[in-house]
Amino acid sequence: MLAAMLLGRLCKGRLPIPFLKAAINGAIFLLLFLLGVAIGGNDNLINQLPTLGWDALLLTIFCLAGSIFASVLISRFFKSR
Amino acid sequence: MRSSLFILGFFVLGIFLARFNLLPDALLEHDPTLPALWLLMGLIGLLLGAEGKLTEILRTVRPKIALLPIATTVGTFAGAIIASFFLVWNIADCLAVGSGFAYYSLSSVFITKYKGADLGTIALISNILRELFTLLFTPLVVKYFGPIAAISCGGASTMDTTLPIISKYAGAAWVLPAITHAIVLDFSVPFWVAIFCSL
């Protein structure tokens, strides 16, 4: 990534930025598609999904809520920016 | 929000195509997610360099960035402890899963080894969900809770998979804090998971 940053810096003004943004969007779609393929192709995971999935979902929701709460608490220190 | 739904669509399409064996086996045997990730990282690097935002990013390095991983850790652990009251798993189990911080590959392997496949699978699903939530809902989280909350949700994934979405919706100024945040969490995952598995 650092190498790409350097390359981008060197080619500054000669790279089509809208094209790059579109390519990034495409790459995000590709990555999520492949993540789906990895999960769908794992039989074990799909079979256990109903039983373990709920526990996992509940845990995730609480962890995310805690993270959001904590980050809202600290965000006051960044307001001055 | 529309692009989030679009992304979810691609994800679901991937699951179904793989489920019904509509894809060439080679795609499953050689995990292509890593090269796809490199492609993405390279493109983001190119864009950051070409837009000349490097100097702007470097100017934003401040000591208080250290607050980010601390808030994520404390918040996640508090959430995991509360969740344990509603689940059959004990506090240490829930903390072990939570301390994966969306780093699902490492944490689920660790937990499978020390606590068994059930909790390992929960760790895998839970941490994938965390990454997925960040990918899908970052636009909303930024809007209602601010950029720090979005980075916090992403956990250890904010330097790779969820970085593009954070840079897009929170702004380029948050790229470096996001990377720092993820590096710190990344190193802490094995440490926390090992501690909570041995309790």
Side-chain angles (χ1 to χ4, degrees):
Chain A
M1 184 173 176
L2 286 173
M5 273 168 126
L6 209 65
L7 187 69
R9 187 76 179 169
L10 291 174
C11 307
K12 196 176 172 185
R14 268 168 289 169
L15 282 168
I17 285 173
F19 169 77
L20 275 178
K21 285 183 172 167
I24 287 174
N25 268 333
I28 294 175
F29 294 149
L30 179 71
L31 194 69
L32 260 288
F33 174 73
L34 292 174
L35 196 65
V37 170
I39 292 171
N42 188 331
D43 289 333
N44 247 334
L45 204 61
I46 292 287
N47 291 334
Q48 285 186 300
L49 214 60
T51 41
L52 301 176
W54 284 112
D55 290 1
L57 181 65
L58 193 88
L59 250 172
T60 313
I61 291 172
F62 275 97
C63 288
L64 285 169
S67 295
I68 291 177
F69 185 72
S71 59
V72 169
L73 285 184
I74 66 154
S75 60
R76 71 180 66 193
F77 298 114
F78 293 85
K79 281 280 155 64
S80 55
R81 196 175 271 192
Chain B
M1 192 61 202
R2 215 186 72 218
S3 74
S4 282
L5 288 175
F6 219 66
I7 289 174
L8 185 65
F10 269 87
F11 176 68
V12 173
L13 182 73
I15 293 182
F16 276 96
L17 287 183
R19 214 49 222 129
F20 299 108
N21 293 318
L22 297 172
L23 293 168
D25 287 341
L27 208 55
L28 287 174
E29 280 157 21
H30 317 279
D31 185 12
T33 45
L34 205 59
L37 192 59
W38 290 340
L39 173 73
L40 188 58
M41 298 296 290
L43 285 170
I44 296 166
L46 271 180
L47 183 67
L48 286 175
E51 285 192 326
K53 290 200 171 146
L54 289 180
T55 39
E56 184 196 326
I57 289 169
L58 287 175
R59 256 190 296 126
T60 61
V61 189
R62 311 238 172 110
K64 54 185 176 184
I65 287 178
L67 282 173
L68 261 69
I70 294 172
T72 303
T73 305
V74 172
T76 301
F77 287 178
I81 290 170
I82 297 170
S84 73
F85 299 137
F86 302 98
L87 295 169
V88 293
W89 306 96
N90 65 37
I91 291 181
D93 292 341
C94 291
L95 283 169
V97 173
S99 58
F101 300 119
Y103 192 171
Y104 50 84
S105 50
L106 184 85
S107 67
S108 60
V109 170
F110 253 91
I111 292 172
T112 302
K113 204 168 132 199
Y114 291 108
K115 290 267 182 173
D118 333 11
L119 197 66
T121 306
I122 290 186
L124 178 64
I125 299 172
S126 171
N127 286 296
I128 287 179
L129 282 175
R130 183 168 187 157
E131 183 180 306
L132 205 60
F133 173 90
T134 310
L135 284 167
L136 296 174
F137 296 110
T138 286
L140 290 177
V141 174
V142 170
K143 191 175 165 198
Y144 292 106
F145 302 105
I148 297 173
I151 293 172
S152 190
C153 285
S157 72
T158 56
M159 66 176 169
D160 37 64
T161 44
T162 58
L163 184 60
I165 235 114
I166 284 167
S167 117
K168 188 169 168 190
Y169 291 97
W174 289 98
V175 166
L176 202 77
I179 293 175
T180 315
H181 169 258
I183 290 173
V184 174
L185 288 177
D186 218 48
F187 281 116
S188 77
V189 170
F191 172 76
W192 290 121
V193 172
I195 285 183
F196 294 130
C197 281
S198 64
L199 284 180

